[in-house]
Amino acid sequence: MEINNTKLAQNISKAKEGNQSAFRFLLDTFWGDVYNYQLKRTRSENNSEDITIQTFSKAFDKINTFDEKYVFKTWLITISKNVHIDLLRKKNTSIFVDTTIEQEEKVYLVVDENPTPEDKIIREQNLAKLLRDIKLLKPKYQEVIQLRYFQELSYKEISKQIKEPMNNVKVKLLRAKKLLAEIIKRT
């Protein structure tokens, strides 16, 4: 996919200011690159997806350290490679990114108040059809959608419930909403 460098630079700059739409743009733009890179390395869709979620989680947490002299995609791939290496080192431990309480609180302060195009599509569906469509998602995405929209839990509450850092929860929700919106459009 050809990306307009000016648009990319603007979104990176906005992401550094905590703009949720910019995070969404970066996630949507580079998800496939990171995921496919990991798929070649791990040969496992689940591991690739988990590592990609962690990659974006770390990248969004450390976005202020990104130096514009470098290529953003290369920076993401490097983070992804390091996440994979860390996982191989900790093979017997779970797939979580360590974040401090302070970092999680900071993420919690970034409010996603603007409804996304995906949110609008999801809201327009009738409940029975929406539930059928949600069942087409992978279980980990079904879970975060269910906790966020049906149990109306906050990111912090979801993080505690599924025992994952809040950054992972936010990335999973962004990804789940995008996938659900694509399913809804198709059906």
Short mmCIF file of all heavy atoms in Angstrom, two decimals, residues 114-137:
data_model
loop_
_atom_site.label_atom_id
_atom_site.label_comp_id
_atom_site.label_asym_id
_atom_site.label_seq_id
_atom_site.Cartn_x
_atom_site.Cartn_y
_atom_site.Cartn_z
N ASN A 114 -14.33 10.36 20.05
CA ASN A 114 -14.94 10.46 18.73
C ASN A 114 -15.36 9.08 18.24
O ASN A 114 -14.53 8.19 18.20
CB ASN A 114 -14.00 11.02 17.65
CG ASN A 114 -12.95 11.93 18.17
OD1 ASN A 114 -12.94 12.29 19.33
ND2 ASN A 114 -12.04 12.30 17.31
N PRO A 115 -16.63 8.93 17.87
CA PRO A 115 -17.02 7.64 17.31
C PRO A 115 -16.30 7.44 15.98
O PRO A 115 -16.18 8.37 15.18
CB PRO A 115 -18.52 7.76 17.11
CG PRO A 115 -18.88 9.18 17.34
CD PRO A 115 -17.71 9.88 17.95
N THR A 116 -15.80 6.26 15.76
CA THR A 116 -15.08 5.96 14.52
C THR A 116 -16.10 5.54 13.47
O THR A 116 -17.25 5.22 13.81
CB THR A 116 -14.11 4.79 14.74
OG1 THR A 116 -14.88 3.63 15.05
CG2 THR A 116 -13.13 5.07 15.85
N PRO A 117 -15.70 5.52 12.20
CA PRO A 117 -16.62 5.01 11.17
C PRO A 117 -17.07 3.58 11.52
O PRO A 117 -18.23 3.23 11.30
CB PRO A 117 -15.77 5.02 9.90
CG PRO A 117 -14.70 6.02 10.14
CD PRO A 117 -14.44 5.99 11.63
N GLU A 118 -16.14 2.80 12.11
CA GLU A 118 -16.49 1.43 12.51
C GLU A 118 -17.58 1.44 13.58
O GLU A 118 -18.51 0.64 13.54
CB GLU A 118 -15.26 0.67 13.04
CG GLU A 118 -14.23 0.36 11.98
CD GLU A 118 -13.18 1.44 11.79
OE1 GLU A 118 -13.25 2.50 12.45
OE2 GLU A 118 -12.27 1.24 10.96
N ASP A 119 -17.46 2.38 14.56
CA ASP A 119 -18.47 2.48 15.62
C ASP A 119 -19.84 2.77 15.03
O ASP A 119 -20.84 2.19 15.45
CB ASP A 119 -18.12 3.61 16.62
CG ASP A 119 -16.94 3.26 17.52
OD1 ASP A 119 -16.78 2.07 17.85
OD2 ASP A 119 -16.21 4.18 17.90
N LYS A 120 -19.88 3.67 14.04
CA LYS A 120 -21.17 4.04 13.42
C LYS A 120 -21.79 2.84 12.71
O LYS A 120 -22.99 2.59 12.85
CB LYS A 120 -20.97 5.20 12.45
CG LYS A 120 -20.68 6.51 13.16
CD LYS A 120 -20.39 7.63 12.19
CE LYS A 120 -19.99 8.88 12.96
NZ LYS A 120 -19.01 9.69 12.27
N ILE A 121 -20.97 2.09 11.98
CA ILE A 121 -21.47 0.90 11.27
C ILE A 121 -22.02 -0.11 12.28
O ILE A 121 -23.10 -0.67 12.10
CB ILE A 121 -20.36 0.25 10.42
CG1 ILE A 121 -19.98 1.17 9.26
CG2 ILE A 121 -20.79 -1.12 9.90
CD1 ILE A 121 -18.72 0.76 8.52
N ILE A 122 -21.26 -0.33 13.35
CA ILE A 122 -21.66 -1.31 14.37
C ILE A 122 -22.99 -0.90 15.01
O ILE A 122 -23.88 -1.72 15.19
CB ILE A 122 -20.54 -1.48 15.43
CG1 ILE A 122 -19.32 -2.17 14.79
CG2 ILE A 122 -21.04 -2.29 16.64
CD1 ILE A 122 -18.04 -2.12 15.62
N ARG A 123 -23.14 0.40 15.32
CA ARG A 123 -24.37 0.87 15.97
C ARG A 123 -25.61 0.72 15.09
O ARG A 123 -26.71 0.56 15.59
CB ARG A 123 -24.21 2.33 16.38
CG ARG A 123 -23.77 2.44 17.81
CD ARG A 123 -23.92 3.85 18.33
NE ARG A 123 -22.69 4.16 19.02
CZ ARG A 123 -21.73 4.95 18.55
NH1 ARG A 123 -21.88 5.56 17.42
NH2 ARG A 123 -20.65 5.16 19.24
N GLU A 124 -25.42 0.81 13.77
CA GLU A 124 -26.56 0.77 12.86
C GLU A 124 -27.13 -0.64 12.68
O GLU A 124 -28.19 -0.81 12.11
CB GLU A 124 -26.15 1.33 11.49
CG GLU A 124 -25.90 2.83 11.51
CD GLU A 124 -25.19 3.32 10.26
OE1 GLU A 124 -24.89 2.52 9.35
OE2 GLU A 124 -24.91 4.54 10.21
N GLN A 125 -26.43 -1.65 13.13
CA GLN A 125 -26.87 -3.03 12.94
C GLN A 125 -27.93 -3.41 13.96
O GLN A 125 -27.90 -2.95 15.09
CB GLN A 125 -25.69 -3.99 13.08
CG GLN A 125 -24.62 -3.77 12.05
CD GLN A 125 -25.19 -3.87 10.65
OE1 GLN A 125 -25.75 -4.88 10.28
NE2 GLN A 125 -25.05 -2.81 9.87
N ASN A 126 -28.84 -4.31 13.58
CA ASN A 126 -29.77 -4.78 14.59
C ASN A 126 -29.05 -5.81 15.45
O ASN A 126 -28.09 -6.44 15.02
CB ASN A 126 -31.09 -5.29 13.99
CG ASN A 126 -30.98 -6.66 13.38
OD1 ASN A 126 -30.38 -7.57 13.96
ND2 ASN A 126 -31.57 -6.82 12.21
N LEU A 127 -29.50 -5.97 16.67
CA LEU A 127 -28.78 -6.74 17.67
C LEU A 127 -28.56 -8.20 17.27
O LEU A 127 -27.46 -8.73 17.41
CB LEU A 127 -29.50 -6.65 19.02
CG LEU A 127 -28.75 -7.25 20.20
CD1 LEU A 127 -27.40 -6.57 20.37
CD2 LEU A 127 -29.56 -7.12 21.47
N ALA A 128 -29.59 -8.87 16.75
CA ALA A 128 -29.46 -10.28 16.40
C ALA A 128 -28.39 -10.48 15.33
O ALA A 128 -27.53 -11.36 15.44
CB ALA A 128 -30.80 -10.83 15.92
N LYS A 129 -28.41 -9.62 14.30
CA LYS A 129 -27.42 -9.72 13.24
C LYS A 129 -26.05 -9.39 13.80
O LYS A 129 -25.06 -10.06 13.47
CB LYS A 129 -27.77 -8.77 12.10
CG LYS A 129 -26.79 -8.91 10.94
CD LYS A 129 -27.05 -7.88 9.85
CE LYS A 129 -26.09 -7.99 8.70
NZ LYS A 129 -24.70 -8.14 9.04
N LEU A 130 -25.97 -8.37 14.65
CA LEU A 130 -24.70 -7.97 15.24
C LEU A 130 -24.09 -9.13 16.04
O LEU A 130 -22.91 -9.43 15.92
CB LEU A 130 -24.88 -6.74 16.14
CG LEU A 130 -23.60 -6.20 16.77
CD1 LEU A 130 -22.62 -5.75 15.70
CD2 LEU A 130 -23.94 -5.03 17.69
N LEU A 131 -24.91 -9.82 16.83
CA LEU A 131 -24.41 -10.95 17.62
C LEU A 131 -23.90 -12.07 16.72
O LEU A 131 -22.87 -12.68 17.01
CB LEU A 131 -25.50 -11.46 18.58
CG LEU A 131 -25.86 -10.49 19.71
CD1 LEU A 131 -27.07 -11.00 20.48
CD2 LEU A 131 -24.68 -10.25 20.64
N ARG A 132 -24.62 -12.32 15.62
CA ARG A 132 -24.15 -13.34 14.66
C ARG A 132 -22.80 -12.93 14.06
O ARG A 132 -21.90 -13.74 13.92
CB ARG A 132 -25.17 -13.54 13.53
CG ARG A 132 -26.34 -14.44 13.90
CD ARG A 132 -27.13 -14.88 12.65
NE ARG A 132 -27.58 -13.79 11.80
CZ ARG A 132 -28.71 -13.11 11.96
NH1 ARG A 132 -29.52 -13.40 12.96
NH2 ARG A 132 -29.04 -12.14 11.13
N ASP A 133 -22.68 -11.64 13.72
CA ASP A 133 -21.43 -11.14 13.14
C ASP A 133 -20.27 -11.22 14.14
O ASP A 133 -19.16 -11.57 13.77
CB ASP A 133 -21.61 -9.70 12.64
CG ASP A 133 -22.50 -9.63 11.40
OD1 ASP A 133 -22.71 -10.67 10.74
OD2 ASP A 133 -22.99 -8.52 11.10
N ILE A 134 -20.55 -10.89 15.40
CA ILE A 134 -19.51 -10.95 16.43
C ILE A 134 -18.99 -12.38 16.57
O ILE A 134 -17.79 -12.59 16.76
CB ILE A 134 -20.04 -10.40 17.78
CG1 ILE A 134 -20.21 -8.87 17.68
CG2 ILE A 134 -19.10 -10.76 18.93
CD1 ILE A 134 -20.92 -8.24 18.87
N LYS A 135 -19.89 -13.36 16.43
CA LYS A 135 -19.47 -14.77 16.55
C LYS A 135 -18.49 -15.18 15.44
O LYS A 135 -17.81 -16.19 15.57
CB LYS A 135 -20.69 -15.68 16.56
CG LYS A 135 -21.43 -15.68 17.88
CD LYS A 135 -22.46 -16.78 17.92
CE LYS A 135 -23.27 -16.91 19.17
NZ LYS A 135 -23.06 -16.04 20.27
N LEU A 136 -18.40 -14.40 14.37
CA LEU A 136 -17.46 -14.70 13.29
C LEU A 136 -16.04 -14.24 13.62
O LEU A 136 -15.08 -14.63 12.95
CB LEU A 136 -17.92 -14.05 11.97
CG LEU A 136 -19.28 -14.53 11.44
CD1 LEU A 136 -19.69 -13.72 10.22
CD2 LEU A 136 -19.23 -16.02 11.11
N LEU A 137 -15.91 -13.41 14.67
CA LEU A 137 -14.59 -12.96 15.10
C LEU A 137 -13.88 -14.06 15.88
O LEU A 137 -14.52 -14.95 16.44
CB LEU A 137 -14.71 -11.72 16.01
CG LEU A 137 -15.22 -10.44 15.40
CD1 LEU A 137 -15.48 -9.40 16.49
CD2 LEU A 137 -14.21 -9.89 14.40
#
